[in-house]
Structure formats: structure tokens, C-alpha cells
Amino acid sequence: KTIKYGIEHSNPDIMLFSGDVAGNLTQLGYLLDYLDQFEIPYFFVQGNHDHQFLNYNSMETRIKQSKYGYIEKGPDSLESQGNYTIKIKNSNDELVHGLIMMDTGNKHSPIDDSLVEYVKNPISGVKYGSYKGQTTYCDSQGWDGLHGNQIDWYESTVNELGCDTSLICHIPPLEFVKAYEQYQDAKNKNDTAAIAACAPIGQCNMGEQCCGSIEQYGLFESVLSLGSTKNIICGHDHRRPSRRLRSPSR
């Protein structure tokens, strides 16, 4: 019902799925058969549940058997599989936007707590810390994210495209967690300006904690430095209907 409603009310040219699409190949097949009836191209990145219950090769094979679905393995040299680009062109065959699809993996291997100094947020209990000089978000589940060689690939891809881009992935970067915390803090302080700035993240909480990657390799710094990526679109939090960042990316 949700997919049908979205299609009927937005009339999309393409559809993007930001991961956690199925628990097995049978479920994936049902989804693909349902989506094909709309005759609209649709594209996937993997989520942590896809990593847990499906292997990439079987997922790719089944998606490519569909009429309108697509996923691509991407360069073998990268940390994970499913990093690729979609080029959006106008009627004059001019490139106007690039969609950068990236795989954030599954669960991160446990980090050495002896190297981490934690600061616990008094509002939600989320722990922040410094790990080897980098900002770190840590919880008991240890979510993965985009690694260093993927960030290098992102930067070279942005430079190659030479146009505005959007980044689509599953597990959100740390900045989403920070925005959520800032929103909660602004609400407690009744800071209307800060509430408005962080509302796109904070207002979509729906009783679910914002869960991000436990290690950062400079993704958001690259996004801001290059200035190409106008949207970061993530999944992961199942109850949260939307995710976007500002500054200047959404």
C-alpha cells in the first residue's frame, strides 16, 4: 500500500530503495514482481538485513531477472559490493544529476574500548567518543558505514560526473545522529531557531533512536568540501519516514 500510494501521488520517473528490502530470495522475488507491474525503473543499495539474509551475488542475479530492477556490484577494490552511479540526463542528452549508490555494509567488528573516551548524551543515552582521533558513535550493535576507499571513490566519482549529485546509502553517517541529538536538546531548551534547523531529522523520530555508523572516515567533510552532493538519503531506521541533512546538504 505504501509503495502504491507513493507512486500514484508522485508519478516518479525512477524509484530508489535504500536497503533492507527482503529477508530471503522468495520475499525479494515477490517485491520485484510487484514493482515490475508499474513499469518504472527502480534501483537498490544493500542494507544490513540484506547482508545478513542474502548474499550479494544471489541478490544481484534475482534483481537482474526482473524487468525494471537494477543493482551493480561496482569496483572490486572497494570495501563492499554495490557501489555504482546512475546518470540522469535531460531531453537533450545532457547530464543534469548523478545518483551515487553506496553500500554501508552490515555490523562493524568490535572496536577496542581501551582506545575510546566516551561522553554519554544525557538526553538519549547515546555515547560519543574519540577513536584514534576521529569522532565516533558507539552502541552495542556497532553499525558499519562507508570506509576510506569508498570515500576516495565517492570523491573521484563526483569529480568525474561534474554535476549536482545525491548520495543514497543505508546506514546514516554520524551527522544524522548529531542532528537528532541537537533537535532533542533544542526542544528541551525551547530554542525555536535550532528546532527549525534540526526538524527534518528530529521530528521523524517516531520512538526510534537514530542509529549511525560507529566510525567516520571523512564522508561529510568530503561532501561539504566538494559541494556537489545536495541530498544524503539513508534508510536503516525502520520507523523513520524520511532522512535528510542540511548545511548545505539535505
Side-chain angles (χ1 to χ4, degrees), residues 10-249:
S10 62
N11 191 28
D13 295 309
I14 63 172
M15 294 184 285
L16 307 175
F17 289 83
S18 59
D20 282 3
V21 296
N24 54 55
L25 286 176
T26 299
Q27 292 178 1
L28 178 61
Y30 288 149
L31 175 63
L32 299 176
D33 291 343
Y34 179 74
L35 294 173
D36 277 343
Q37 69 178 311
F38 296 103
E39 300 182 352
I40 300 170
Y42 54 93
F43 303 84
F44 293 96
V45 294
Q46 294 183 98
N48 56 290
H49 287 292
D50 303 315
H51 278 275
Q52 291 170 23
F53 303 119
L54 301 166
N55 66 68
Y56 176 81
N57 290 333
S58 63
M59 185 176 180
E60 181 190 70
T61 298
R62 184 61 186 87
I63 290 173
K64 290 189 174 180
Q65 289 172 351
S66 67
K67 294 180 180 179
Y68 294 93
Y70 189 78
I71 191 171
E72 185 177 317
K73 182 179 179 181
D76 290 327
S77 59
L78 299 186
E79 193 75 23
S80 56
Q81 299 171 323
N83 304 279
Y84 64 101
T85 59
I86 304 166
K87 296 179 180 179
I88 308 297
K89 297 183 178 181
N90 61 19
S91 57
N92 295 320
D93 201 37
E94 299 168 330
L95 181 63
V96 295
H97 200 85
L99 301 174
I100 303 177
M101 315 289 281
M102 301 193 72
D103 177 35
T104 49
N106 185 9
K107 289 187 177 181
H108 199 283
S109 57
I111 58 178
D112 185 351
D113 275 1
S114 67
L115 300 177
V116 180
E117 294 184 13
Y118 294 109
V119 177
K120 190 172 183 178
N121 188 291
I123 300 169
S124 69
V126 173
K127 295 186 294 183
Y128 297 97
S130 174
Y131 176 64
K132 295 183 178 179
Q134 296 188 13
T135 304
T136 305
Y137 162 58
C138 301
D139 67 8
S140 59
Q141 295 181 316
W143 298 114
D144 207 343
L146 298 175
H147 292 250
N149 57 7
Q150 290 176 285
I151 306 304
D152 293 341
W153 178 81
Y154 162 79
E155 292 178 350
S156 64
T157 298
V158 164
N159 290 327
E160 178 183 338
L161 289 171
C163 62
D164 287 350
T165 60
S166 294
L167 171 62
I168 294 86
C169 61
H170 183 68
I171 299 173
L174 176 66
E175 286 75 16
F176 280 91
V177 183
K178 288 183 175 180
Y180 168 71
E181 296 292 357
Q182 290 168 5
Y183 175 78
Q184 299 299 325
D185 188 51
K187 281 181 62 178
N188 288 347
K189 295 177 180 177
N190 198 27
D191 185 338
T192 55
I195 290 173
C198 299
I201 297 293
Q203 286 181 338
C204 294
N205 177 37
M206 299 181 70
E208 187 174 25
Q209 177 179 304
C210 184
C211 298
S213 174
I214 69 168
E215 288 190 42
Q216 301 298 302
Y217 292 86
L219 169 66
F220 203 61
E221 289 78 3
S222 294
V223 167
L224 296 181
S225 174
L226 295 174
S228 161
T229 298
K230 307 306 180 185
N231 306 281
I232 302 176
I233 303 169
C234 307
H236 197 43
D237 293 350
H238 300 167
R239 298 179 184 176
R240 198 178 308 273
S242 65
R243 281 199 175 282
R244 57 182 182 162
L245 283 181
R246 298 180 179 181
S247 176
S249 290

